[in-house]
Amino acid sequence: MVHRGQRLGSLDVTLVFLLVCSVTGFLLMDERRDAEDDQELNKAILEMLHIKKVSANHQAKPHPYMRRIYQHLDSLEAEDLGRSDGTLVQSFRSVDGPPHAPQGWIWFNVSSVNPSMLGAELVLFRKTLHPDPLSVTVALHSVTASRGTLSESPALEERQLTLDQRPSSGYDVFDVSAVLAAKPLDVVGFQLRYTDESGSLVLHEVLTQSLYCLNRGSLSEPLLVLYQAHPLQI
């Protein structure tokens, strides 16, 4: 025979167990609701930050020149906290040329270029210096490929290079914004052609390979940087 006290004790244990389960269930529901609220809040904050911050694509291992660009844009953002439109920047590393493309050109696949881009610059790392104060005149030419057709342009820029001096940044930077006029734009190539002090044409491909780091995959490979505004000239 089961005593009344034993039955009451079992009932008390059951009630306590049900009460603990109910409290635990309410706590879990509250935590889940708080997590969902936090997720929505974080999403809203990120959306607001995306609008107000510089919309540059920070890669895990950015090109050294792009690190300078990011630092410059970050400093501009800190100075002008009220600016909300941001500055869009795209960068492209060199690639193999299209089929049957001429040799001695530096190629970039720009099929994913943002149509709002207005400015562009070609960035080349100067890797060697001549021991004597020699100078050479360089003319930068471009060729664009669209739907399989190659179109060469007149010289984009002409300047004099002093071969015993390197730019303070280590890079020769050429304004190539004119190439963006070609629509649609799939592939663009660049070639440097030189004349010496006597006006004679110098072997451009050999001299370019001697002066600049052209190896794809290297830390300072050729870079094409595109801007939503005019190049920053850092």
Side-chain angles (χ1 to χ4, degrees):
M1 179 180 291
V2 178
H3 294 289
R4 181 181 178 185
Q6 291 176 326
R7 289 200 301 271
L8 290 175
S10 299
L11 183 60
D12 291 341
V13 171
T14 302
L15 289 174
V16 169
F17 177 76
L18 292 174
L19 181 61
V20 169
C21 289
S22 298
V23 172
T24 303
F26 283 125
L27 290 175
L28 291 175
M29 289 178 61
D30 287 340
E31 290 178 0
R32 191 180 302 114
R33 191 179 298 110
D34 290 340
E36 291 174 355
D37 291 341
D38 289 342
Q39 187 174 3
E40 289 297 320
L41 180 61
N42 290 339
K43 181 181 177 181
I45 291 174
L46 288 175
E47 288 176 350
M48 288 187 292
L49 289 176
H50 176 72
I51 294 171
K52 293 179 181 285
K53 288 187 71 65
V54 173
S55 53
N57 180 21
H58 291 63
Q59 302 174 0
K61 289 185 178 180
H63 190 283
Y65 187 82
M66 290 309 298
R67 283 201 298 268
R68 296 165 60 93
I69 294 292
Y70 296 147
Q71 291 169 0
H72 183 69
L73 292 177
D74 287 342
S75 66
L76 289 179
E77 184 182 45
E79 294 172 2
D80 188 3
L81 298 177
R83 186 177 58 183
S84 61
D85 56 348
T87 301
L88 186 63
V89 177
Q90 280 185 287
S91 63
F92 297 90
R93 295 174 185 255
S94 56
V95 297
D96 288 326
H100 311 298
Q103 298 297 315
W105 292 74
I106 305 168
W107 297 98
F108 299 91
N109 184 342
V110 292
S111 56
S112 62
V113 62
N114 189 301
S116 66
M117 293 302 182
L118 298 176
E121 59 187 17
L122 174 66
V123 180
L124 299 175
F125 180 73
R126 186 95 71 81
K127 68 177 182 179
T128 60
L129 292 176
H130 197 280
D132 299 322
L134 301 178
S135 63
V136 63
T137 299
V138 58
L140 178 67
H141 292 254
S142 72
V143 61
T144 56
S146 178
R147 298 172 182 172
T149 303
L150 295 178
S151 301
E152 185 174 342
S153 72
L156 296 172
E157 183 180 346
E158 186 172 289
R159 70 170 68 166
Q160 192 174 63
L161 299 179
T162 303
L163 301 187
D164 66 333
Q165 296 178 10
R166 181 183 286 129
S168 58
S169 65
Y171 297 92
D172 283 330
V173 180
F174 300 88
D175 187 341
V176 295
S177 302
V179 301
L180 297 178
K183 306 289 184 185
L185 187 61
D186 298 325
V187 177
V188 60
F190 297 97
Q191 186 182 67
L192 298 171
R193 301 173 185 173
Y194 309 87
T195 51
D196 60 18
E197 293 178 335
S198 66
S200 301
L201 184 67
V202 182
L203 291 176
H204 47 76
E205 184 176 355
V206 174
L207 189 52
T208 298
Q209 291 175 349
S210 299
L211 282 177
Y212 297 109
C213 176
L214 303 179
N215 297 329
R216 291 195 303 275
S218 66
L219 199 59
S220 294
E221 66 181 305
L223 196 69
L224 181 64
V225 186
L226 279 67
Y227 301 89
Q228 204 168 27
H230 294 292
L232 295 176
Q233 300 293 329
I234 64 171

